Amino acid sequence: MISLWDEHSFWIEMLQDHAYFVRDGLSPNESEYVEIARQFIRLYGELLGELQSIPRQTGYQDSQMIDFSRKAWQVAKSYYDFEGTLQSLRIDNKVNLNLSPTYLNGTLSENQEYLRILSYLVQGQEPVRLSVTQVMDLWLEDQLGHAVLFENLLDPIEVEANIVTQEYKRRFQLYIVQNHHLKNYLRVKQPGFARQQEFIYEVGKTTLEMDHYIRKMVEKYKANTLLNKTNLRFLEHHFPETCYFLASLSYYEPRLQAQVGNCSLSKPSF
């Protein structure tokens, strides 16, 4: 179970990372957008600092947490609009940004989910939990995106790592199709039917498997034995999002709870 405090901490850290990635992906010639990205990095850092002053056990109806949620909503919504502008420009090749429109689809979807959660928190209400099919819609795309990005970030000489990554990419593509059909079965079945539960378990196991693989690759990165074109923050961004996904899945599939354990919603090195 993810606490309210940890919920905020997770999303703000992830959105701050997104701002770092936009900053790093922009050409220095795009000085206006680089500066805006830097401002958001600072604003998210200030939010994280303010969160540290709020007791971890603070509840939904606490006025301090409501005020914090309102501040977080303003920053997250402004950043959502900023990334949306960049995506529109990137689609028409009107900005020198080394991030694709589909990459920005993923980060915008995650931002949108935090805004959905905040829409409850600003009113002192507990957020309505996503259904398991909605969890899959959001995070299967994210896991596929991580596999695609990792493949693209590898040096061509890293053939073995490339082959392994392509297999994970194939599996998550398959899961997205399966989830679509399983969701349609809910027209005639109640949630939690046997095949859906087995699907949740399969996805959880593969997600854990890829997480262990990425951890090995990060260790190789730290030892300078993996040739690539990225940085540690980008690689470690995978871990908190995977933890959040697995925690969400384990709510619906108890068999995953022992395997997920107390994973971290923060990056190891940051």
Side-chain angles (χ1 to χ4, degrees):
M1 192 74 174
I2 298 171
S3 71
L4 173 56
W5 195 97
D6 285 332
E7 190 85 45
H8 276 303
S9 178
F10 165 75
W11 285 111
I12 295 168
E13 276 194 35
M14 294 304 95
L15 294 180
Q16 186 186 46
D17 273 359
H18 294 171
Y20 272 109
F21 303 153
V22 165
R23 183 203 66 181
D24 294 347
L26 284 163
S27 164
N29 291 334
E30 303 286 1
S31 56
E32 178 186 353
Y33 297 132
V34 169
E35 181 54 34
I36 293 172
R38 284 176 176 154
Q39 288 173 12
F40 278 113
I41 290 168
R42 177 180 55 79
L43 288 169
Y44 284 128
E46 290 173 358
L47 283 173
L48 288 169
E50 184 173 340
L51 184 62
Q52 293 296 326
S53 69
I54 300 176
R56 284 178 172 265
Q57 69 275 14
T58 303
Y60 301 100
Q61 297 180 332
D62 187 280
S63 60
Q64 190 178 13
M65 190 60 87
I66 292 171
D67 289 343
F68 179 82
S69 297
R70 288 173 177 162
K71 291 178 185 176
W73 190 91
Q74 291 175 341
V75 177
K77 179 60 169 66
S78 297
Y79 186 68
Y80 180 85
D81 293 339
F82 171 57
E83 272 203 355
T85 298
L86 290 178
Q87 185 186 48
S88 178
L89 293 170
R90 179 66 276 182
I91 289 169
D92 295 326
N93 298 316
K94 292 181 178 177
V95 64
N96 192 345
L97 172 64
N98 190 27
L99 297 170
S100 74
T102 301
Y103 164 87
L104 291 167
N105 265 352
T107 56
L108 285 164
S109 292
E110 291 165 19
N111 195 330
Q112 195 170 29
E113 171 58 9
Y114 186 39
L115 290 173
R116 184 193 72 84
I117 291 168
L118 285 169
S119 71
Y120 293 93
L121 298 181
V122 297
Q123 300 179 68
Q125 299 174 357
E126 183 175 356
V128 173
R129 184 182 293 273
L130 292 180
S131 70
V132 72
T133 55
Q134 291 170 322
V135 169
M136 294 287 192
D137 282 340
L138 178 61
W139 295 110
L140 282 177
E141 181 181 330
D142 180 69
Q143 290 293 306
L144 173 60
H146 290 185
V148 170
L149 286 167
F150 189 67
E151 179 187 19
N152 292 339
L153 293 170
L154 288 169
D155 187 274
I157 199 174
E158 303 292 358
V159 177
E160 184 176 349
N162 207 315
I163 291 170
V164 174
T165 306
Q166 286 174 355
E167 173 57 19
Y168 285 122
K169 186 173 72 171
R170 184 195 67 80
R171 286 158 74 176
F172 281 107
Q173 287 171 331
L174 175 63
Y175 291 150
I176 288 170
V177 174
Q178 288 178 309
N179 186 55
H180 168 75
H181 290 292
L182 286 162
K183 185 164 49 177
N184 285 340
Y185 297 155
L186 296 175
R187 290 180 291 206
V188 297
K189 299 292 290 182
Q190 288 298 311
F193 62 95
R195 184 62 185 92
Q196 186 183 37
Q197 288 305 119
E198 187 61 20
F199 175 66
I200 298 168
Y201 189 55
E202 290 170 9
V203 168
K205 287 195 299 182
T206 299
T207 301
L208 279 163
E209 189 182 302
M210 188 170 83
D211 187 64
H212 293 150
Y213 169 68
I214 297 294
R215 287 183 189 279
K216 290 180 183 176
M217 294 300 102
V218 170
E219 289 307 310
K220 289 174 72 70
Y221 175 93
K222 290 179 175 178
N224 300 323
T225 56
L226 182 78
L227 300 183
N228 66 92
K229 54 181 179 180
T230 190
N231 58 52
L232 187 60
R233 180 183 290 275
F234 201 91
L235 288 171
E236 289 193 346
H237 184 78
H238 166 82
F239 301 132
E241 292 188 337
T242 297
C243 178
Y244 190 92
F245 180 33
L246 288 167
S248 301
L249 288 183
S250 66
Y251 175 82
Y252 291 100
E253 179 43 77
R255 285 181 292 174
L256 292 170
Q257 289 174 4
Q259 297 177 55
V260 172
N262 294 317
C263 60
S264 176
L265 292 168
S266 291
K267 299 179 299 300
S269 301
F270 298 88

